[in-house]
Amino acid sequence: MGIEFTGNYKDHRNNDHSSSSKVSEESLRSGSELKQAEKEKEKIRVVKGFSTYEEQERAVNPQDAGIDEALAIIQDDEQFEYDEAEDAKVRRKIDLFVLPVMCITYGVQYLDKTAVSYAAVYGMKESAHLSGSAYSWLSTIFYLGYMIAQYPAGYLLQRYPIHLFLFTASFLWSACVLLMAACTNRHGLLALRFLSGVFEGCVNPAFVALTSMWYKREEQPVRTVCWYAFNGVSTMVGALLGYGTGHIKGSLPNWKYPFLVIGAISNLWSFVYIFFPKNPVRAKFLNSREKRIAIERVRKNRTGMETKKFKLSQALEAFKDPQVILMVLYNGMCQVTNAMSVFSGLIIQGMGYSGINATLLTLPSGAFTVGSMIFVGVFSHIFRRGRIPLCMFTSSLTIVGALMIWKIPDSNPWPRVVGVWLFSPVASGNALILSLLSSNIAGYSKKVTANATMFLFYSIGNIVSPQLFKPNQVPEYIEGIQASLVATCLFEGALILLAMYYIYENYRRDISLKRHPEFNYSEKNEEFLDRTDREQIKFRYIW
C-alpha cells in the first residue's frame, strides 16, 4: 500500500501541434482558457500504486483543481486494459446497485406529486374549500416551487455529494406530502405543494447527471427510459393505492389517507440515499480494478464524470448553445400535456364514472407509459441513431388522444377514455430527450446549467398547463385538450430543428478535421479535462 510520488502531471500533446490550439474557436479553447487549464493541471500530483480512494485523495484534490474526480485514479496507469467480460460485469453491478435506486426514487417522487389527484376524487376539493381555480393552483404552485429551485439546485448539485443532496431533498418533499393530511384549508395545501415542488425539483437534474456519470452514451437511452418508466409504474401503483385508500373506514376523511400512505412510503425510502455512492470513484460495491473499469467505460462519452468547481464560461456557453435552446423549448411545450396527470381522474369522472371507478380507470395510463418506455428502450438499444424520430412518433399519439377526447361524442365514453390513456406515451419521448441531454452536453458546469434551464422551462410548461384547464370547462376540459394538441404540434417542430442541427454540426466537424488534420492530436486524458462539447472538435452528437 506504499505510495510513491512521481512528479507533476504534464501535457502530453505532440509539441508540433501546440500552436494549433488557437486556430479554431469552436473546437479548442482560447489562449487564456488554456493557460488557466495548465495552472489547474499543475495542482494534480501523479501517484503510483494507489489501492484505495482515500490514498488517491490525499495526493489529488479535484475540487481545488477544478478537474474531474476520475483523474484521481486514471493517471497512475497509462496502459490499463480490460476485456468485454469485465466491462459487462461492471455494468451488471451498476445496474444492480445504482439503477434500481434511481427507478424507485423516480416512481416515488411521481407518486408523491400525483397524490393530490387521488385525494381530489374523495372530497378534498369540498373539504378544503378548493372552489373555482384553486384546484388548478395546487398544480401550478407546485411547479412554481420547482422552477425557483432549479438554479440553486444545480449549484448545490455541483458543490455537494450527490447522495446527500438526494437524501435531503427526498426526505423533505415526503415530509411535505405527509403534512398535507393535516391541512384543513387551501392555504396550507398550497404552501406545502409549493415546498414539495422546491424539493422535488432536484430529482430530474440529479438523475441526468447520474446517468451520464455511470453509463456509456449508447447505454444511456435504455437506462433513462428505465427510471423514467417508473412514472408509469407509479401511476398504476397509485391507482391501486388510491382505490384501496378509498375503502378505508377510519376516523379521518378519505381524502387524507392517500397523503398519509404515500408520504410514509416516500419518507422511509429517502434513507436509502445515506448508503448510495457519490460517484464510481467512491463506489464501495466496486473493487479498485472495477472502479477503474467504470471510469474507462465512460471515457469515450467525452462528457467527463464529476467536477466540483463551477465554471462561469461553461454556464454562459449553455445559454448560447442551439441544442440547449431547442431542447428547452421542447421541454416547456411538452409539459403543457402533463396537466393530464392531475386532471385525468376528473376528466374520466366527467364522462359518467363514479369517483372510485374513475381512479381505477387511470391505471391503464400507467400501463401505456410503461409499454411505450419498453418500446423506445428496445428500439434505441438496437438502433444507435433515431432517438429524435422515435420521440416524435410517441408524441404523435398525444395528438391522436386529444382528437379522440375532443371529437368523439359524449354518448360513446370508452374511446374517449382510451384518448386519455394515449396522453401517457409522450413521457417516453421526454425520456429520450433527457438521454440526449446527458449524452450530448459535455463540461460539468455546462451540463448542470443546461439541466437547470431545461427543468426551469419544464416548470413553466407545468405552471401554464393547469391554467388552461379552466373551471368553466368542467367536466371534460375541452379547451385544455385543444391547448395540448397545439403544444404537441409545436414541440414536434422544435424536434425537427434539433435533428437538423445535430446532423449539420457533425458534418461540419468532419469537414473541419479533413481540412485541418493538425486538430486531430490527442492529449493525455483529454476526455476528463472538463471541456464542453463545443470545445472538443472530436465530439460527435447523437440524434
Side-chain angles (χ1 to χ4, degrees):
M1 291 183 56
I3 301 177
E4 190 179 359
F5 174 65
T6 63
N8 288 335
Y9 176 77
K10 299 295 183 183
D11 189 350
H12 284 245
R13 285 181 300 183
N14 187 323
N15 290 334
D16 294 338
H17 299 313
S18 60
S19 61
S20 67
S21 61
K22 299 179 183 179
V23 178
S24 172
E25 181 179 354
E26 293 84 359
S27 61
L28 302 172
R29 295 182 173 189
S30 67
S32 61
E33 289 173 321
L34 283 170
K35 290 178 182 178
Q36 179 61 30
E38 294 298 333
K39 290 179 181 178
E40 290 175 348
K41 290 177 195 174
E42 289 173 1
K43 300 177 184 178
I44 307 170
R45 298 172 62 203
V46 183
V47 177
K48 299 287 187 183
F50 286 139
S51 59
T52 67
Y53 181 82
E54 288 70 23
E55 291 178 353
Q56 300 155 26
E57 193 172 33
R58 283 197 291 270
V60 181
N61 190 341
Q63 184 165 339
D64 291 341
I67 49 83
D68 203 296
E69 290 204 15
L71 287 179
I73 285 183
I74 61 178
Q75 291 187 90
D76 72 308
D77 184 2
E78 297 179 15
Q79 304 301 322
F80 184 84
E81 295 181 356
Y82 64 99
D83 56 33
E84 291 184 8
E86 290 180 296
D87 182 291
K89 180 181 178 182
V90 171
R91 185 184 66 244
R92 286 194 297 269
K93 279 193 170 185
I94 294 170
D95 283 341
L96 180 63
F97 286 92
V98 175
L99 189 59
V101 175
M102 295 173 66
C103 290
I104 295 173
T105 301
Y106 208 76
V108 165
Q109 67 90 25
Y110 191 81
L111 197 59
D112 288 349
K113 187 188 305 182
T114 56
V116 67
S117 66
Y118 308 124
V121 298
Y122 294 139
M124 180 187 69
K125 293 173 69 175
E126 295 76 18
S127 180
H129 309 293
L130 295 171
S131 58
S133 62
Y135 179 73
S136 295
W137 270 99
L138 281 181
S139 181
T140 296
I141 203 165
F142 175 92
Y143 288 104
L144 182 61
Y146 201 105
M147 178 182 69
I148 290 171
Q150 289 311 304
Y151 289 117
Y155 177 78
L156 294 173
L157 178 63
Q158 185 165 17
R159 292 292 298 170
Y160 297 101
I162 197 166
H163 65 301
L164 296 180
F165 174 85
L166 284 167
F167 164 70
T168 304
S170 57
F171 180 84
L172 290 174
W173 88 56
S174 59
C176 291
V177 175
L178 277 169
L179 289 171
M180 289 182 76
C183 295
T184 57
N185 56 56
R186 63 183 180 181
H187 303 296
L189 290 171
L190 288 168
L192 288 169
R193 283 287 285 178
F194 174 81
L195 292 174
S196 293
V198 169
F199 301 129
E200 287 191 38
C202 306
V203 176
N204 273 313
F207 277 20
V208 172
L210 280 173
T211 306
S212 177
M213 182 188 300
W214 288 94
Y215 290 104
K216 299 177 184 179
R217 295 173 87 189
E218 60 268 25
E219 296 167 351
Q220 290 172 14
V222 175
R223 273 68 186 185
T224 302
V225 163
C226 280
W227 54 259
Y228 210 95
F230 271 68
N231 278 358
V233 173
S234 66
T235 298
M236 292 186 286
V237 172
L240 294 173
L241 285 175
Y243 184 79
T245 54
H247 288 84
I248 294 176
K249 305 298 181 183
S251 58
L252 297 174
N254 272 46
W255 68 267
K256 292 180 179 285
Y257 288 110
F259 294 126
L260 290 172
V261 173
I262 292 171
I265 293 171
S266 181
N267 197 259
L268 289 172
W269 178 254
S270 67
F271 288 91
V272 169
Y273 278 99
I274 294 176
F275 309 100
F276 193 77
K278 175 187 175 184
N279 57 39
V281 175
R282 301 207 189 195
K284 293 183 179 180
F285 63 86
L286 300 175
N287 61 36
S288 297
R289 180 173 177 81
E290 289 170 340
K291 289 177 183 178
R292 177 63 187 268
I293 293 171
I295 292 170
E296 292 296 332
R297 276 171 37 80
V298 300
R299 180 187 286 273
K300 290 183 180 179
N301 291 359
R302 305 188 74 91
T303 56
M305 185 171 292
E306 186 178 29
T307 306
K308 289 304 181 186
K309 183 177 180 180
F310 183 80
K311 298 177 181 177
L312 181 60
S313 61
Q314 291 192 8
L316 294 176
E317 181 179 310
F319 292 119
K320 297 184 289 184
D321 193 337
Q323 65 164 330
V324 175
I325 293 169
L326 288 169
M327 281 194 281
V328 160
L329 290 175
Y330 158 82
N331 209 25
M333 291 184 287
C334 182
Q335 301 317 310
V336 172
T337 67
N338 200 37
M340 187 60 74
S341 65
V342 176
F343 286 89
S344 58
L346 294 175
I347 290 173
I348 293 173
Q349 188 177 30
M351 294 176 185
Y353 298 93
S354 67
I356 200 165
N357 287 329
T359 299
L360 198 59
L361 282 172
T362 62
L363 192 150
S365 293
F368 271 70
T369 300
V370 174
S372 65
M373 293 286 183
I374 293 171
F375 170 72
V376 301
V378 171
F379 188 96
S380 61
H381 180 70
I382 296 173
F383 301 98
R384 299 305 168 90
R385 293 182 179 179
R387 297 188 204 178
I388 292 177
L390 190 58
C391 175
M392 294 180 66
F393 170 73
T394 57
S395 300
S396 66
L397 296 177
T398 300
I399 297 174
V400 176
L403 290 172
M404 289 173 70
I405 299 170
W406 179 17
K407 294 298 184 180
I408 293 176
D410 297 351
S411 58
N412 195 6
W414 265 111
R416 304 180 79 218
V417 172
V418 173
V420 173
W421 299 340
L422 287 177
F423 270 67
S424 301
V426 72
S428 61
N430 211 13
L432 288 172
I433 299 303
L434 290 183
S435 76
L436 288 180
L437 188 65
S438 63
S439 297
N440 286 342
I441 297 180
Y444 202 75
S445 297
K446 180 179 180 180
K447 188 183 293 288
V448 296
T449 304
N451 278 345
T453 308
M454 183 88 157
F455 291 105
L456 175 71
F457 276 74
Y458 170 92
S459 308
I460 292 172
N462 280 290
I463 287 169
V464 170
S465 61
Q467 301 307 314
L468 300 174
F469 287 69
K470 300 175 183 177
N472 60 5
Q473 301 173 26
V474 174
E476 294 170 321
Y477 299 98
I478 293 299
E479 290 181 21
I481 300 299
Q482 293 169 339
S484 298
L485 176 62
V486 172
T488 304
C489 294
L490 290 174
F491 74 64
E492 294 219 329
L495 291 175
I496 292 172
L497 293 176
L498 182 61
M500 292 172 63
Y501 171 76
Y502 283 146
I503 293 169
Y504 164 76
E505 187 62 20
N506 287 343
Y507 172 78
R508 186 189 68 79
R509 293 181 182 212
D510 289 341
I511 295 299
S512 182
L513 278 178
K514 288 180 181 178
R515 292 177 178 173
H516 303 281
E518 66 271 17
F519 293 166
N520 202 25
Y521 65 80
S522 294
E523 191 173 359
K524 180 185 176 183
N525 294 327
E526 61 186 3
E527 301 91 347
F528 296 104
L529 294 181
D530 194 36
R531 292 175 178 167
T532 69
D533 51 283
R534 300 186 77 180
E535 292 171 334
Q536 302 181 63
I537 196 169
K538 297 178 185 177
F539 193 98
R540 293 296 179 272
Y541 297 102
I542 295 174
W543 54 268

